[in-house]
Structures are given as structure tokens and as C-alpha cells.
Amino acid sequence: MKKMFVTDLVASYLSPDFLVHNDILKLCKCPKVAVVLAKFIWWAQVCERKHPERNGWFYQTHKDFLEQFTLRRRGYEKARKILVEQLGVIEYRRAGFFGRMHWRVNAEKLQAQLSRLRGSSIVPVETNFHQDRDGFWLPKSIPLEQWHLFLDSRTKKTGRLKQSVQMKRKWVNQLEKLVKEYAEIPAFITYVANHGWANFIVHPSVKWDDVINSQSAVFRRSIQAQHKSESKPPDNSPISPGDIESIRNKIRSKLNIKGSD
């Protein structure tokens, strides 16, 4: 009989899902509550990646909660009491037309609790996201300057001042796939914007040499414009000696002053 490894079993039968870290177990002091927090952290990551405009909020009905965690009413109340009231790492609210229960992981409080558990000071964590001019969150792998250039091209093409969240999400997903394959993403975004394309799908006709040259030309033009503006004399340039003498003569004539100063 051929030997089967656990790795083979996991790959064939178990789908990748959330992990329950040791620190989460120690923090919650209850395996079932730790599973709930770990699952919430996983949902929060999915929500931040797919729906950044929701600011980390995702909804789970009371029925979903009990079914997914195989909890009874008492276990549900215990998990909510520990995570919401005692630790403060989970927030909840009712929202939407049907008043669904929405949840969010409070990352700052979770970091504070984990730091307290480890006996270490809180170290600032730099986010991997930034906001565009409309408040839409996108990964820092997508440069804002080129992103806004693309949005301007879409406004010029469609006449809409703001693009929909659904379209932005679609474009971000396209760009995230390209980031893994190409290093010239800023150049490609500029190339797409200059050609007025509506998406970031790489067509077979695209020549990457043209993409890079296009970006280099834009960079050269910006440098030339900067040098040109620096070479211009300032608007508040000093008055020349000839102008001063002319002003003096006008004052003498008006006040009927004779002779020199």
C-alpha cells in the first residue's frame, strides 16, 4: 500500500482557511472564542482586500454565526462578551435595510492586547493601503499619481467626475494581478491613460518597450517643465534703479521740488 502524507491529505481534502495562532488562544483563554476571533480576522482581511470602501465592516447574521461556529446561544453570548466587552477587539452594529448585524475587528485594540500579552511596547505598523482623492482605499503597489491620471482619462472619456466603487474595485483587481508579473506598473497605467483605455487588460498588441518609452517621455516633460518654471524670474522682482529715478522725478514734479536730493 502506498504511503500517504498528511500534506497530501490537506491539499486534497481541506480548503485553505483561517489559522488560530497561539497568541490568539492565549488572549481569549477559550478555544471556541479563539476560533471565532481567528475567523473574524480572516473575514476582515478578505473584506479589506475585496471591499476596502467598507472600512473593515462585514455582516454575519445570528443564524450564520451559530451555524458556522456550531455554537449554542450560550456560547454565542460568551464569545461576544469576551471579544466585545472584555477585550474590546470586536465592534458591532446593525446596518442596512434589514438591520443585519455587522462586525469589525478593531486592529488598534487587538494590537494593544497582543502587545500586553507579550509584555512589549506597541510598535507602529505602517499600512499597505492609501486613499485616492475620492477616499477610495487601494494598495500602495498602485501609485496614486498614475492612478489619478487614469481617473482623469476616464472622466474625459465618460464625462463622469467620479468613477463608481464597483469599477474602481475591478481596476484594482486587474492591477494587482499585473503587479505580480510586471515591474513597470506605473508606466503601464500612464500608457493606458494616454491611450484612453477603459481597463488594464494587457492586449497582445502592447509592446512593453513602447510602454517604458512613453513613461520616460512623460518624466522628461515634467522635468523640462520644472526647469522652465525655475528659470522664470519671480513675479515680485525688485525695481530697477532706472524705475526708482523715474518715480523720484514724478514726485518732484508733483510737489514742485527743485534741485536734487
Side-chain angles (χ1 to χ4, degrees):
M1 181 178 177
K2 185 179 179 181
K3 178 178 175 59
M4 181 174 66
F5 293 93
V6 176
T7 304
D8 301 325
L9 179 64
V10 171
S12 302
Y13 284 85
L14 300 177
S15 60
D17 209 324
F18 65 99
L19 297 175
V20 182
H21 298 275
N22 288 331
D23 285 347
I24 298 298
L25 281 169
K26 294 177 183 177
L27 180 65
C28 297
K29 299 178 182 178
C30 174
K32 288 188 176 181
V33 177
V35 169
V36 173
L37 178 56
K39 185 71 173 182
F40 273 31
I41 292 173
W42 181 80
W43 275 328
Q45 290 176 297
V46 173
C47 184
E48 289 174 349
R49 185 173 65 254
K50 293 188 175 181
H51 305 281
E53 74 282 356
R54 295 182 182 176
N55 199 21
W57 289 99
F58 55 89
Y59 72 85
Q60 283 288 304
T61 64
H62 178 73
K63 183 180 178 182
D64 294 337
F65 199 106
L66 297 181
E67 288 180 352
Q68 293 190 43
F69 297 112
T70 60
L71 292 175
R72 296 183 179 179
R73 178 79 185 186
R74 186 177 178 181
Y76 167 78
E77 294 295 342
K78 180 181 178 181
R80 193 166 77 167
K81 183 176 180 180
I82 292 175
L83 298 176
V84 176
E85 299 177 16
Q86 296 181 9
L87 297 176
V89 296
I90 298 295
E91 301 171 355
Y92 72 94
R93 69 182 183 187
R94 290 194 178 275
F97 182 78
F98 297 102
R100 288 172 173 167
M101 187 70 80
H102 284 65
W103 307 85
R104 180 171 66 176
V105 176
N106 189 317
E108 290 76 14
K109 289 187 178 180
L110 179 58
Q111 182 192 28
Q113 291 287 1
L114 291 174
S115 299
R116 179 188 59 79
L117 182 69
R118 298 174 179 177
S120 59
S121 58
I122 299 176
V123 179
V125 178
E126 186 176 353
T127 179
N128 292 321
F129 296 88
H130 52 192
Q131 283 182 300
D132 68 5
R133 61 195 179 198
D134 301 324
F136 180 82
W137 289 93
L138 65 159
K140 285 186 176 179
S141 57
I142 302 175
L144 284 178
E145 182 180 354
Q146 284 77 13
W147 174 257
H148 288 152
L149 182 66
F150 172 74
L151 294 182
D152 290 339
S153 71
R154 298 312 305 151
T155 298
K156 185 177 180 181
K157 196 82 172 178
T158 63
R160 291 192 294 267
L161 295 178
K162 284 188 178 182
Q163 305 304 312
S164 67
V165 172
Q166 290 77 13
M167 289 304 301
K168 286 187 177 183
R169 195 183 302 142
K170 173 185 174 183
W171 294 327
V172 168
N173 290 337
Q174 292 173 351
L175 286 171
E176 282 189 311
K177 293 178 182 178
L178 293 176
V179 166
K180 300 176 182 178
E181 301 179 23
Y182 304 100
E184 303 87 357
I185 293 303
F188 183 63
I189 298 176
T190 303
Y191 184 86
V192 169
N194 291 338
H195 285 73
W197 293 354
N199 55 59
F200 295 101
I201 298 175
V202 181
H203 300 279
S205 60
V206 173
K207 297 180 180 179
W208 284 99
D209 289 340
D210 295 339
V211 172
I212 297 172
N213 292 334
S214 173
Q215 177 66 10
S216 300
V218 172
F219 179 74
R220 284 196 302 270
R221 285 198 297 269
S222 64
I223 294 296
Q224 291 172 356
Q226 182 179 354
H227 288 332
K228 188 175 181 180
S229 63
E230 291 176 353
S231 62
K232 288 182 179 179
D235 295 336
N236 56 346
S237 57
I239 302 174
S240 65
D243 293 335
I244 294 176
E245 186 62 28
S246 176
I247 293 172
R248 284 179 174 177
N249 292 334
K250 289 180 180 179
I251 294 174
R252 288 195 191 99
S253 175
K254 190 172 183 179
L255 298 180
N256 198 19
I257 297 176
K258 297 182 179 180
S260 59
D261 293 340

